[in-house]
Amino acid sequence: MIQTIATTPFTDQKMGTAGLRRKSKVVIQPNYVENFMQSIFNVIGDLHGKTFVVGGDGRFYNDKAIQKIIKMAAANGVAKLIIGQNGFMSTPAGSNVILKNKADGGFILSASHNPGGENGDFGIKYSNASGGQIPSSISDKIYQETLNIKEYKICNIDDINLSELGTQEICGMQIEIIDPVKDYVEMMQKIFDFSAIKKLFQNGFTMRFDAMNAVTGPYAIKIFEGILGAPKGSVVNYHPLPDFGGLHPDPNMVYAKELVDFMFSEQAADFGAANDGDGDRNMILGKGFFVTPSDSLAIITDNFKLIPAYKNGIYGVAKSAATSTAVERVAQAHNIGYYEVPTGWKYFVNLMDSNRITFCGEESFGTGSSHIREKDGIWAVLFWLNIIAATGKSVEDITREHWQKYGRSYYVRFDFEGVDTAIADKLMLDLENKLSQLPGKTMEGFIIADAGAFVYNDPVDHSSTKNGLIIRFTDGSRIVYRLSGTGSSGATIRVYLERYSKTNLSADPLKMLTEIFKIAMAISEIPERTGKHKADVVT
Ligand code: G1P
Ligand code: ZN
């Protein structure tokens, strides 16, 4: 039944910030998934006795790709696959299943927060036994393999029924179909004070969770409405749909518009949250109030003692360089380790494995802890609910008190999308070359303290990664520039702006950053070079 099929390489199978991500139209080409998967299998080498976890966020082509992966894994000698029922599994749940079963790795079929459907994006994230996504050293090898691939192996059998729980054997490989929600829920119950949160809802607390028609729907229904007793209807858009019902499942102020409008209306609930396509991102809202992900990480870290799983102490905390410095001040106050890494969750994995950090986060609506090796959307929501239950305070009060204590980092990200790749690359190169001349200069009343590329030296594996360019001002303000590594076409230039104030705590972020934005544009020449005078997305 095992067939060896001849193939020719695709030249674009390089993984980005988080796995391979391409337009669905590209991925559905014959042999596209096959080439990529065979390249991974080839780089792993001997697959005998190995177990992998497989699932996805249910987007268009999830069902087809998963069948290919099963048949190819069997043909390549994999011992066992643990698969989410009907092919579903969120990214954080997948990480947990890998760790819990001591599996050798896993594949989550998702393009995360990118739109789905035939005209949207598809993707494959590959994790190793750490439960986190593979380091660049391995993805580089896989990319080389994709450029040389000549054949792949597949088992010639009918599609496998993934709807019934239990174990079966196909082509000499064991398949175990599991409920993707169960283990995850048990893990959350071990971390948080569910009875305190339950009481909160019994006392009339209201929430709205927007699953954005993506994978967290079933998790959220079970946890928030089922176990914690949030009123029916608290979880919306909970049916995972292949095209996410046309939504762009990125939980931010722009794309989670329905939730944002509701939370800023008269009818607003006490608490609002949304997750992305594969359940690793989160957005936190109070009544008429938005918490930036950078602040959320700082507040979570500052409140670790309120949470059962962390109350006895935490290791350090880490953030991506582009994330605001809010959490740095919290780390100093608690005298815990503090790390700044490149963008992408995989850079946190070594720090967690070596007990250097417990919490980590990114400005891109990612927050998590060492309970798994991916960011975790529902975990972040439960953390906030637990803080609220323990303190009796609102989201807004918790955040404002945090600013009182530590000062406030005003923070906004500007994305310039669909830029010609050659223009974007040249812009970044010219910008980098210019940075050394900037220190000491005054622009718009701000003095530049230092400027340069962000280079990260991993303290565990000693690899070195360059990611983005940073300009720092003498008052603590910062500009970070980088190119996105998750897009499926053209280039996106991200510009991250931050300004700190110890005393001015209630200003409008965009107003506070007016001058810094002007400086960021003048130095990079983004308007002149891209023709864009306004960012496409501001979050
Ligand atoms: C984006 C985010 C980054 C996140 C990644 C995966 O990557 O900026 O923080 O880890 O998605 O969710 P980017 O497109 O900027 O490379
Ligand atoms: Zn995601």
Side-chain angles (χ1 to χ4, degrees):
M1 279 185 291
I2 295 173
Q3 297 183 325
T4 301
I5 314 266
T7 186
T8 49
F10 292 92
T11 54
D12 67 343
Q13 298 197 318
K14 195 174 167 69
M15 291 184 233
T17 312
L20 180 73
R21 244 172 243 192
R22 291 289 172 265
K23 289 265 161 244
S24 302
K25 292 239 158 79
V26 171
V27 179
I28 62 175
Q29 294 176 86
N31 293 354
Y32 197 88
V33 167
E34 288 87 340
N35 278 17
F36 183 67
M37 289 307 300
Q38 188 64 53
S39 301
I40 294 178
F41 290 144
N42 290 352
V43 167
I44 299 173
D46 186 11
L47 291 156
H48 291 94
K50 292 212 155 61
T51 297
F52 294 93
V53 175
V54 191
D57 63 8
R59 68 179 62 218
F60 170 80
Y61 208 56
N62 202 139
D63 51 351
K64 302 275 187 314
I66 205 163
Q67 294 290 342
K68 291 176 196 261
I69 292 173
I70 297 169
K71 293 173 195 175
M72 288 184 65
N76 278 279
V78 169
K80 182 177 175 183
L81 291 183
I82 302 173
I83 305 173
Q85 191 174 24
N86 295 315
F88 285 81
M89 200 177 296
S90 75
T91 290
S95 181
N96 177 45
V97 175
I98 293 173
L99 291 170
K100 194 178 165 195
N101 293 279
K102 298 195 169 51
D104 297 283
F107 305 99
I108 295 289
L109 311 183
S110 169
S112 190
H113 53 283
N114 293 8
E118 226 177 313
N119 297 312
D121 290 356
F122 189 79
I124 302 178
K125 296 193 201 180
Y126 167 41
S127 298
N128 58 22
S130 75
Q133 289 174 57
I134 50 162
S136 317
S137 55
I138 299 178
S139 57
D140 289 347
K141 279 192 195 139
I142 294 169
Y143 176 53
Q144 287 311 316
E145 189 69 22
T146 65
L147 298 175
N148 295 307
I149 188 111
K150 292 190 181 66
E151 56 186 38
Y152 64 85
K153 285 194 193 130
I154 192 156
C155 216
N156 184 21
I157 48 168
D158 287 344
D159 280 358
I160 294 99
N161 176 3
L162 301 178
S163 66
E164 270 159 49
L165 300 179
T167 309
Q168 48 182 302
E169 202 186 294
I170 62 131
C171 258
M173 177 180 74
Q174 225 199 346
I175 291 185
E176 186 185 351
I177 298 179
I178 62 162
D179 174 351
V181 178
K182 193 173 156 280
D183 291 342
Y184 182 83
V185 172
E186 281 169 11
M187 171 171 60
M188 291 299 120
Q189 283 173 312
K190 282 189 199 135
I191 297 175
F192 299 106
D193 187 348
F194 268 51
S195 61
I197 304 173
K198 209 168 161 180
K199 267 196 211 112
L200 188 70
F201 287 116
Q202 274 164 2
N203 293 336
F205 185 84
T206 56
M207 87 178 270
R208 176 168 290 193
F209 178 92
D210 194 335
M212 303 193 84
N213 298 320
V215 79
T216 49
Y219 296 83
I221 289 277
K222 173 85 191 169
I223 293 175
F224 302 123
E225 294 188 11
I227 302 174
L228 293 170
K232 250 197 159 351
S234 298
V235 179
V236 299
N237 295 321
Y238 55 81
H239 277 303
L241 300 172
D243 66 348
F244 306 124
L247 292 183
H248 184 155
D250 197 359
N252 60 38
M253 295 294 275
V254 177
Y255 296 123
K257 193 175 179 310
E258 201 182 306
L259 176 72
V260 172
D261 286 350
F262 172 73
M263 288 303 294
F264 281 79
S265 74
E266 289 286 312
Q267 295 79 38
D270 297 314
F271 179 77
N275 276 186
D276 75 330
D278 60 331
D280 54 0
R281 291 187 175 200
N282 75 89
M283 174 168 67
I284 303 294
L285 297 166
K287 237 179 210 160
F289 193 82
F290 165 65
V291 185
T292 69
S294 298
D295 279 343
S296 180
L297 175 64
I299 291 166
I300 279 176
T301 306
D302 200 35
N303 285 289
F304 72 88
K305 287 201 178 109
L306 301 178
I307 311 298
Y310 310 109
K311 68 170 191 291
N312 295 330
I314 52 172
Y315 299 116
V317 60
K319 70 167 191 75
S320 64
T323 303
S324 100
T325 53
V327 75
E328 184 176 357
R329 294 185 285 277
V330 177
Q332 275 163 3
H334 289 274
N335 196 22
I336 54 171
Y338 168 74
Y339 299 83
E340 221 181 8
V341 306
T343 291
W345 210 259
K346 59 191 173 204
Y347 296 103
F348 295 127
V349 172
N350 281 343
L351 299 176
M352 291 193 258
D353 283 348
S354 59
N355 288 343
R356 283 175 164 81
I357 62 165
T358 300
F359 297 145
C360 43
E362 294 189 285
E363 53 65 43
S364 55
F365 297 81
T367 335
S369 91
S370 53
H371 64 292
I372 52 168
R373 296 294 180 273
E374 291 278 5
K375 51 190 178 259
D376 190 341
I378 287 185
W379 173 90
V381 174
L382 285 167
F383 206 120
W384 271 89
L385 286 173
N386 202 151
I387 297 176
I388 295 166
T391 60
K393 290 176 186 157
S394 70
V395 171
E396 178 165 355
D397 288 347
I398 291 165
T399 310
R400 288 197 184 282
E401 283 174 22
H402 184 86
W403 293 337
Q404 287 286 344
K405 195 162 147 194
Y406 291 102
R408 178 173 177 188
S409 283
Y410 289 91
Y411 182 90
V412 179
R413 176 175 118 184
F414 300 81
D415 293 335
F416 298 85
E417 297 182 336
V419 179
D420 179 86
T421 310
I423 291 178
D425 288 343
K426 176 92 170 48
L427 185 150
M428 290 297 285
L429 194 69
D430 291 348
L431 182 57
E432 184 171 354
N433 289 332
K434 196 191 268 189
L435 294 182
S436 62
Q437 298 145 33
L438 296 178
K441 267 200 177 152
T442 304
M443 295 176 82
E444 306 281 336
F446 289 79
I447 307 164
I448 297 174
D450 62 78
F454 173 72
V455 179
Y456 177 63
N457 296 310
D458 188 303
V460 179
D461 66 18
H462 305 293
S463 61
S464 180
T465 308
K466 194 165 117 179
N467 191 279
L469 307 171
I470 306 187
I471 299 174
R472 288 189 189 82
F473 297 85
T474 50
D475 73 332
S477 298
R478 304 190 319 153
I479 302 171
V480 179
Y481 302 91
R482 50 179 291 283
L483 295 181
S484 158
T486 56
S488 57
S489 61
T492 293
I493 305 170
R494 303 205 196 281
V495 183
Y496 312 79
L497 306 184
E498 175 180 357
R499 182 174 171 190
Y500 175 69
S501 178
K502 181 88 188 100
T503 46
N504 181 6
L505 304 177
S506 294
D508 171 38
L510 284 173
K511 281 210 185 98
M512 282 296 279
L513 292 165
T514 309
E515 291 87 7
I516 306 284
F517 180 78
K518 277 191 196 149
I519 300 169
M521 292 303 104
I523 295 177
S524 63
E525 301 168 8
I526 288 175
E528 295 80 1
R529 290 175 180 235
T530 67
K532 286 177 184 277
H533 292 266
K534 263 178 57 196
D536 297 282
V537 181
V538 179
T539 48

